[in-house]
Amino acid sequence: MYEPVIGLEIHAQVLTDTKIFCGCRTRFGDPPNTHVCPVCAGLPGALPVLNRRAVDLAARAALALGCRINARSEFARKNYFYPDLPKGYQISQYDQPLASAGLVEIPGAGSRVRVAITRVHMEEDAGKSLHEGFHDSAQHTYIDYNRSGVPLIEIVTEPDLRSAADAATFFETLRRLLVWLGVSDGNMEEGSLRCDANVSVRPAGTKTLGTKTEVKNLNSFRHLQKALEHEIARQVELLADGGRVVQETRLWDPAGARTVAMRSKEEAHDYRYFPEPDLPPLEFSAGRVAAIAEALPELPHVRRARFVAEYGLSDNDAGEMTRSRGMADYFEETARRA
Ligand code: ADP
Ligand code: ZN
Ligand code: MG
């Protein structure tokens, strides 16, 4: 018997009107390259200025996830070459993230599952390569930089999940929370929320972690669950046949219902991270953290428990009535009038 071990890295677009380091709009669906300036196009000499609202929303999410906001965090350059990345690096956070050490509880099979949050950090999104839809798409790729510099948070979990179903439940719980908080619109078709799944398997009862693979860019709960189910089965089969898992990045192929290798550890990027010289460290006063914590709404799981206690709902019904904040408000208003 093998036990799956899963850790997730989730990217969510933060709901600001403007980008993280410039004043360009973040609006989705406008004609390509209509929200671009020297900063988000990466022109030499252009300097980033951090969007305060993006920071507050990121901190709001981190606090709701039970994290500690670090008094001082740092932006870092993650260097790699790709045409949709105009500067040749992404401004992200590395060894000094915005927030650390949170905890989320999800309903699991039978009992509740505790998932520790390693960190929440901020970063900018890249542009989008357009491989289809042009008369010469067979020869050329076009690039839309409207998304370049859109603010993201990345939420990283500890390897605490033990099944594909629990991973999907976690992702759903997280999506609901981010939408509830007004931090993200959670729109997965538009790419506002995406998940990378890290997974390994080990003989049941053992403690050491097996070699993991990472399945990139899953943009629905179903894809996450299916990709993990297939990847777990693939790894178990390999080990059961006396083989070994190769550490690599894989992609989910929904049509073929399988994961396919994308790049191995040897081909992995060396990102040559270093502190971003154009941005000062991000300092958070205790007062600012307290103000953001103060402004948090009652969280979905707290409200769910209260609906059970106060209105005598079953836990299941209380779950339905807290699917969204709008639904919960509607229920509560109606119940009060009845
Ligand atoms: P990397 O060096 O590949 O970035 P990290 O240690 O930073 O790996 O972890 C990235 C993600 O992978 C985290 O969500 C973590 O929980 C998860 N993870 C790390 N090791 C394993 C493992 N052996 N099996 C499953 N998930 C893992
Ligand atoms: Zn711009
Ligand atoms: Mg890592």
Side-chain angles (χ1 to χ4, degrees), residues 21 38-48 75-92 123-127 148-149 271-279:
F21 299 123
V39 173
C40 57
L43 299 191
L47 289 172
F75 287 91
R77 290 189 182 179
K78 179 178 181 177
N79 300 278
Y80 63 95
F81 176 76
Y82 202 74
D84 67 15
L85 190 70
K87 297 191 293 296
Y89 57 85
Q90 176 194 31
I91 304 180
S92 180
E123 60 187 29
E124 58 178 340
D125 207 347
S148 170
Y271 292 119
R272 296 176 292 119
Y273 278 98
F274 62 86
E276 168 57 65
D278 291 339
L279 288 167

Side-chain angles (χ1 to χ4, degrees), residues 5-9 156-159 198-200 209-212 247:
V5 174
I6 301 161
L8 302 180
E9 295 166 286
V156 182
T157 78
E158 290 294 302
N198 298 269
V199 56
S200 60
L209 292 173
T211 303
K212 76 173 164 85
Q247 187 176 333

Side-chain angles (χ1 to χ4, degrees), residues 216-287:
K216 280 270 185 211
N217 262 326
L218 298 158
N219 66 350
S220 81
F221 307 130
R222 198 180 149 72
H223 284 173
L224 172 63
Q225 181 159 350
K226 288 280 159 214
L228 280 170
E229 283 168 1
H230 282 85
E231 182 54 19
I232 290 164
R234 188 189 70 87
Q235 291 188 13
V236 166
E237 196 169 320
L238 267 175
L239 295 183
D241 287 350
R244 55 183 197 86
V245 174
V246 177
Q247 187 176 333
E248 62 189 0
T249 303
R250 300 179 69 87
L251 289 177
W252 170 236
D253 163 22
R258 65 204 178 118
T259 65
V260 289
M262 186 174 120
R263 61 171 180 257
S264 69
K265 192 184 180 188
E266 286 70 40
E267 300 161 286
H269 299 293
D270 170 4
Y271 292 119
R272 296 176 292 119
Y273 278 98
F274 62 86
E276 168 57 65
D278 291 339
L279 288 167
L282 175 56
E283 303 208 334
F284 245 101
S285 69

Side-chain angles (χ1 to χ4, degrees), residues 60-71:
R60 182 176 172 87
L63 288 174
L65 292 166
C67 292
R68 136 175 69 81
I69 305 292
N70 295 315

